[in-house]
C-alpha cells in the first residue's frame, strides 16, 4: 500500500509505510534496477529486503529525489548525495524514515508485552515511580518509554551511551500524542533532547532531536503539519 502518512514533526520530515507487499512488489514500485539489485545482493533475509525497499520508497517520497540510504562504518544511516540527516526504523509491519537539517533519531514500535518483560533493563528507578499503575496504561507507557530511549540512542549514538543509565525521561503521561523532555548523559556533558510521539493503532512512533542545535531551537517550532 502507499504511505501510511507523511508528517512534519517539529522540523523533521517523517514518513511511515505499512508493509503489506512482497519484496517483488516493492521492487516493482521502486522501479530502480540498480538499487533493487543491490538490496537483493546485500540482504539475504526477505524481511530485511522488504524493510529496506519500503524505507527507500519512503525516503524518495519525502525528498522527491531518487536517493538511497547508505550506512557508515558504525552502522549509522546517511543519505548518499544529500547533506540532510536521516534516521530509519522498522517494526513488524512498518518502515519509517525521518529526515531533517539537524541530527534526528526515530523509532517505531508495536506496543506489546515485549517491552514490559525487559523493563528492568532500561527503566530507571525514578522513571518507574511515575509509570501508571493501571496495567494497560502502564504497558503503553513502558512501550513509549522504550521507543523514546531507542530514538534517543540513535540520535546520540556517537557518544556510546547506555539505554539503562544514560537516558532519563522526565515525568510524562502516555496521551495519544505529546512531547517528552529527555536528559542524556554523554562524555561531553549532559544534553537536552525533546522526543515527540504519536500513537496509532497499536503502534508508537517517536521523533527525537536536541533541544538546540547550531542555532536551531525546537522551542521555536510548536505545530505539526500533515500532507
Amino acid at each position: 500500500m502507499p504511505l501510511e502518512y507523511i508528517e512534519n514533526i517539529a522540523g523533521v520530515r517523517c514518513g511511515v509505510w505499512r508493509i503489506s507487499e512482497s519484496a517483488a512488489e516493492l521492487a516493482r514500485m521502486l522501479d530502480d534496477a540498480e538499487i533493487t539489485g543491490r538490496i537483493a545482493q546485500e540482504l539475504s533475509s526477505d524481511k530485511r529486503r522488504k524493510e529496506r525497499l519500503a524505507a527507500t520508497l519512503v525516503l524518495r517520497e519525502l525528498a522527491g529525489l531518487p536517493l538511497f540510504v547508505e550506512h557508515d562504518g558504525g552502522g549509522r544511516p546517511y543519505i548518499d548525495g544529500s547533506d540532510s540527516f536521516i534516521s530509519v526504523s522498522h517494526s513488524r509491519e512498518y518502515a519509517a524514515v525521518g529526515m531533517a537539517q539537524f541530527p534526528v533519531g526515530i523509532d517505531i514500535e508495536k506496543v506489546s508485552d515485549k517491552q514490559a518483560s525487559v523493563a528492568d533493563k532500561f527503566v530507571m528507578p525514578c522513571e518507574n515511580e511515575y509509570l501508571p499503575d493501571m496495567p494497560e496504561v502502564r504497558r503503553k507507557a513502558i512501550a513509549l518509554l522504550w521507543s523514546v530511549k531507542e530514538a534517543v540512542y540513535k540520535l546520540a549514538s556517537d557518544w556510546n551511551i547506555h539505554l539503562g543509565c544514560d537516558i532519563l525521561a522526565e515525568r510524562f503521561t502516555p496521551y495519544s500524542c505529546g512531547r517528552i523532555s529527555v536528559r542524556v548523559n554523554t562524555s561531553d556533558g549532559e544534553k537536552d533532547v525533546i522526543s515527540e510521539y504519536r500513537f496509532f493503532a497499536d503502534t508508537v512512533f517517536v521523533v527525537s532531536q536536541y533541544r538546540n542545535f547550531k542555532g536551531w531551537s525546537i522551542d521555536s517550532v510548536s505545530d505539526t503539519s500533515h500532507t
Side-chain angles (χ1 to χ4, degrees), residues 10 16 47 70 73-74 82 95 106 138 143 145 147 153 177 184 187 204:
V16 176
K47 177 177 179 294
E70 301 280 5
S82 171
I106 72 167
R138 184 179 181 86
L145 187 56
S147 194
Y153 181 83
C177 62
V184 187
S187 57
V204 60

Side-chain angles (χ1 to χ4, degrees), residues 4-5 16 94 108-109 176 198-205:
E4 186 82 354
Y5 69 82
V16 176
Y94 297 97
I108 190 165
E109 297 282 346
S176 59
R198 307 281 185 272
F199 281 98
F200 57 94
D202 57 352
T203 300
V204 60
F205 177 53

